[in-house]
Amino acid sequence: MAKILVPIKRVVDYETKVRIHADGNKISEDGVKWIVNPFDEIAVEEAIRLKEQKGDVEVVVASIGPDGTSEQLRTALAMGADRAIHVNTDAYIDSDAAHRILAEIYLRDSFQLVIMGKQAIDSDASQTGQLLAARLGLPQATFASKLVIDDSFATATVVREVDGGLETLRIKLPAVVTTDLRLNQPRYPSLPGIVKAKKKPLDVIELSGLGIDTAPKVRIVSMQPPAPRKAGVKVGSVAELLDKLSNEAKVI
Ligand SMILES: Cc1cc2nc3c(=O)[nH]c(=O)nc-3n(C[C@H](O)[C@H](O)[C@H](O)COP(=O)(O)OP(=O)(O)OC[C@H]3O[C@@H](n4cnc5c(N)ncnc54)[C@H](O)[C@@H]3O)c2cc1C
């Protein structure tokens, strides 16, 4: 059986209006809605599609975070992943700590493939996949917009969108692939999927028991909200809109 590891990160919903915490270097978590990082949802979707195409595949999702993180893991299980691993911690985890923990999870089993988001929409660091591949000595193909795996899970063909067009790579498995937006459109969890997810295995491991140095290498010094946007203007007709765009904004 081929096993695919999909690391998923819990992030604040991109539709939430975030507020900066009084400390000035983090966001306030009061009342925010948490979601699976959208690029990781794409990774989960891709792993499930591979399972559907090839049959004998196990999709394992893993996340590092506080107690509530199990909710995002259940979402991935409801989409169709087989089992979940929750590394439980309240600590701040930067890309360096995340990749060390994910490497430990990878080494505890025998995975043929790691598929993960190209970046998390909170920190936008875009480092964890690359660090993980380097630490494990695995080939990596980042920002995948198409992924084809051969039937014996020996190689992956990955199309990447680069500045000048498309680049196609062939890499040996096991490998790390990171997902771009256009790889697929993730499914919504179905009602039967949500019911089934409640019974799927979700192992909780305490980070403190892993003996990994997760001291942050990056310190967030400060955060500032973006400048407020100017109020919009309602126009009465297309002619008025064209007039304003032409004579006031001078953009047409
Ligand atoms: C997780 C995530 C990652 C993304 N990453 C990327 C990326 O890497 N690269 C990339 O190019 N894009 C990315 N996107 C997409 C991008 O953020 C936006 O979706 C896109 O730029 C917004 O375009 P939009 O035209 O859909 O408009 P919206 O975001 O809906 O709106 C943009 C503006 O259009 C105007 N507008 C919207 N609706 C109306 C309306 N009904 N009437 C009048 N004016 C309106 C408003 O001025 C609004 O501010 C990402 C999106 C998500 C969710």
Side-chain angles (χ1 to χ4, degrees), residues 14 37-39 118-119 121 180-182 229:
Y14 52 82
N37 176 40
F39 292 104
K118 72 169 182 178
Q119 69 196 75
I121 61 163
D180 212 334
L181 275 184
R182 278 161 290 273
R229 291 171 67 170

Side-chain angles (χ1 to χ4, degrees), residues 63-102:
S63 194
I64 308 153
D67 285 344
T69 309
S70 54
E71 269 180 50
Q72 282 66 49
L73 286 166
R74 290 279 175 214
T75 301
L77 293 172
M79 286 172 73
D82 296 296
R83 65 183 171 91
I85 301 169
H86 174 192
V87 180
N88 195 27
T89 177
D90 288 332
Y92 166 64
I93 299 293
D94 65 4
S95 306
D96 182 75
H99 97 277
R100 288 169 194 271
I101 299 164
L102 294 172

